[in-house]
Amino acid sequence: DGSASGTADDVMGNFGATDEVWTITFTDTSTWVCNAYIKSATFGAPYDGKVTQSITLKLTAGPTYTDVA
């Protein structure tokens, strides 16, 4: 639904479930599109810093690479 809680629900609702299509965009705007499921996820919430999240995806098919446009 685009909200922060909706996005978190989408991510955690797919933990270890069936694969979905993921698009990974790199800093140079090139992308990988692949099918994968969430293998693990960790969260960090320091007292005086930014909340962080790290997700490990298990690819179920090879990624398709798209170079910088």
Side-chain angles (χ1 to χ4, degrees), residues 1-28:
D1 66 8
S3 68
S5 62
T7 301
D9 290 344
D10 287 345
V11 169
M12 295 315 293
N14 190 38
F15 200 106
T18 58
D19 64 335
E20 293 187 15
V21 176
W22 290 80
T23 300
I24 301 166
T25 304
F26 298 98
T27 55
D28 66 357

Side-chain angles (χ1 to χ4, degrees), residues 22-41:
W22 290 80
T23 300
I24 301 166
T25 304
F26 298 98
T27 55
D28 66 357
T29 70
S30 61
T31 61
W32 270 2
V33 177
C34 57
N35 285 18
Y37 63 89
I38 298 173
K39 184 175 180 179
S40 65

Side-chain angles (χ1 to χ4, degrees), residues 33-63:
V33 177
C34 57
N35 285 18
Y37 63 89
I38 298 173
K39 184 175 180 179
S40 65
T42 58
F43 298 90
Y47 174 73
D48 221 11
K50 296 180 180 180
V51 174
T52 61
Q53 179 178 16
S54 177
I55 297 174
T56 301
L57 298 175
K58 173 67 175 175
L59 276 59
T60 57

